[in-house]
Amino acid sequence: MQPISLSRFLIEQQRLPESPCPAELRLLIETVARACKAISHAISKGALGDVLGSLKSENVQGEVQKKLDVIANDLLLDANEWGGHLAGMASEEMETIHPIPNRYPKGEYLLLFDPIDGSSNVDVDLSVGTIFSVVRAPEACAGREVVEADFLQPGRNQVAAGYAIYGPQTLLVLTIGAGVYEFTLEREIGSWRLTDGPMRIPTGTREFAINMARRPQWSPAVARYVEDRLLGSAGPCGHDYNMRWTASMVADVHRILKRGGVFLYPADHRTPGKARLRLLYEANPMSLLIEQAGGASSDGSAAILDIDPVSLHQRVGVVMGDKEEVAALHRP
Ligand code: AFP
């Protein structure tokens, strides 16, 4: 029998008593998933579709934009603007928020996304992804246009989060706050099919992912954690570890969901507030997925999902994955 489709999965969730997935949220998730199909299609064309390489523009983070960053951002905006489920959107690629234009009906949700995570990988044909997060618009914004402050909600408020990964297969990994589920894109008919879930992070996997070249930025705690693992069976851990680094958080976190281990992108301990990953549309959605799959996620001292954001493009240090490994980093 064919695995069930994303639509059927969500409708069955919607029918549950005290459903975590009201109809409006279901339609929103299906729209995001449709946009991810279009992004997958654009990526797969590569040089033949003239989608590789950089533009002359920079995004708000001061990073040179890849053509696909802009293509994917536009696909997500176009797909989600008119459906009536959203009050506004925010993206890594846009300096300010994108309220739903007045010509369209407004809904009760806010969508935040990183349209192409790991975009430097696109030109060398390695996995990239789209990360998204959904929160409810605060009641106070009923009847007025949304403002940036409406988006500044702790990760615990997320009602859905997920990513698409464009790799050897195109996958959608999703949580609506009740487990994590993986859907594989069946390209011939354009359907997402349930292929894994509820997903649980395998425990005890001796694998960590970190960019070793950032060593000067590490705090003493992070340096000790990594050095203990590099010592392998001769060190305090008593066994050898493997190291992996994909330079795409989606790919690294997906490996952890499937195979276990831990992902670290610590903040720069020399400069307060300096870090690589963005809280609202990278760390928060990934943290919800990791917690829902039985793992833990921390900024090095506290749970990422409990952070009260102060700005749209705020950055944060990240340690996520196997609970034991995250706890080991916290141990004095
Ligand atoms: P983009 O979202 O700008 O493509 O950045 C990707 C990323 O934030 C994350 O996916 C990777 O883990 C990290 O950057 C890679 O960083 P390094 O350049 O330090 O390898």
Side-chain angles (χ1 to χ4, degrees):
M1 210 173 70
Q2 272 278 59
I4 66 165
S5 65
L6 175 67
S7 301
R8 178 169 169 186
F9 172 85
L10 291 172
I11 286 172
E12 287 176 357
Q13 294 289 315
Q14 188 187 325
R15 285 191 190 130
L16 293 174
E18 309 204 12
S19 166
C21 192
E24 291 295 298
L25 181 59
R26 169 173 68 79
L27 292 167
L28 168 55
I29 292 169
E30 290 199 79
T31 309
V32 172
R34 214 162 30 244
C36 291
K37 269 192 259 184
I39 296 170
S40 174
H41 184 68
I43 290 174
S44 67
K45 285 184 174 282
L48 301 177
D50 192 23
V51 297
L52 303 183
S54 302
L55 297 166
K56 292 207 172 71
S57 52
E58 286 186 353
N59 66 13
V60 60
Q61 340 275 342
E63 298 160 344
V64 174
Q65 286 181 304
K66 299 277 179 193
K67 285 185 194 169
L68 268 167
D69 285 327
V70 175
I71 292 169
N73 196 63
D74 289 348
L75 284 168
L76 281 156
L77 288 181
D78 289 350
N80 285 289
E81 222 178 29
W82 47 269
H85 322 303
L86 288 174
M89 291 181 260
S91 157
E92 178 184 348
E93 300 304 328
M94 302 186 300
E95 185 163 2
T96 54
I97 61 160
H98 180 92
I100 296 302
N102 285 332
R103 61 183 179 282
Y104 300 123
K106 312 242 167 111
E108 57 180 303
Y109 296 105
L110 304 174
L111 175 68
L112 301 97
F113 50 82
D114 177 358
I116 298 285
D117 171 71
S119 52
S120 65
N121 278 355
V122 168
D123 294 348
V124 292
D125 203 15
L126 293 174
S127 296
V128 294
T130 297
I131 311 176
F132 64 93
S133 159
V134 183
V135 292
R136 257 180 238 288
E139 275 173 23
C141 78
R144 63 152 169 85
E145 194 158 271
V146 283
V147 295
E148 180 174 319
D150 298 324
F151 289 74
L152 305 183
Q153 302 187 35
R156 296 253 175 247
N157 285 9
Q158 293 171 104
V159 292
Y163 58 79
I165 178 166
Y166 314 108
Q169 307 106 44
T170 291
L171 307 176
L172 182 76
V173 175
L174 173 71
T175 183
I176 47 176
V180 178
Y181 293 85
E182 175 203 89
F183 301 83
T184 301
L185 181 60
E186 192 177 7
R187 288 182 191 279
E188 296 74 13
I189 54 173
S191 176
W192 296 101
R193 298 277 172 185
L194 180 65
T195 44
D196 197 5
M199 297 169 81
R200 301 298 292 173
I201 297 175
T203 54
T205 305
R206 290 153 191 171
E207 223 164 63
F208 64 94
I210 194 165
N211 183 346
M212 293 293 285
R214 303 282 177 263
R215 172 74 181 80
Q217 301 182 355
W218 299 348
S219 66
V222 172
R224 196 202 55 224
Y225 173 88
V226 174
E227 275 149 22
D228 284 354
R229 274 141 196 83
L230 292 177
L231 288 171
S233 51
C237 299
H239 35 245
D240 294 337
Y241 273 74
N242 258 335
M243 202 204 77
R244 294 282 182 272
W245 187 248
T246 321
S248 157
M249 186 192 201
V250 168
D252 282 315
V253 169
H254 188 66
R255 188 187 57 254
I256 288 164
L257 280 174
K258 299 294 273 195
R259 203 165 75 185
V262 67
F263 169 88
L264 302 97
Y265 213 124
D268 186 339
H269 81 115
R270 302 166 302 184
T271 317
K274 191 169 169 211
R276 174 83 169 101
L277 299 174
R278 277 53 58 118
L279 174 63
L280 289 176
Y281 41 79
E282 291 181 325
N284 270 346
M286 291 311 216
S287 298
L288 187 63
L289 290 162
I290 288 280
E291 282 202 6
Q292 283 288 317
S297 167
S298 154
D299 65 355
S301 55
I304 285 182
L305 292 177
D306 291 329
I307 295 174
D308 269 322
V310 293
S311 66
L312 195 58
H313 298 289
Q314 180 174 344
R315 293 173 187 257
V316 67
V318 171
V319 184
M320 58 170 66
D322 187 323
K323 256 187 183 159
E324 273 305 307
E325 292 294 325
V326 176
L329 195 114
H330 284 170
R331 272 195 283 276

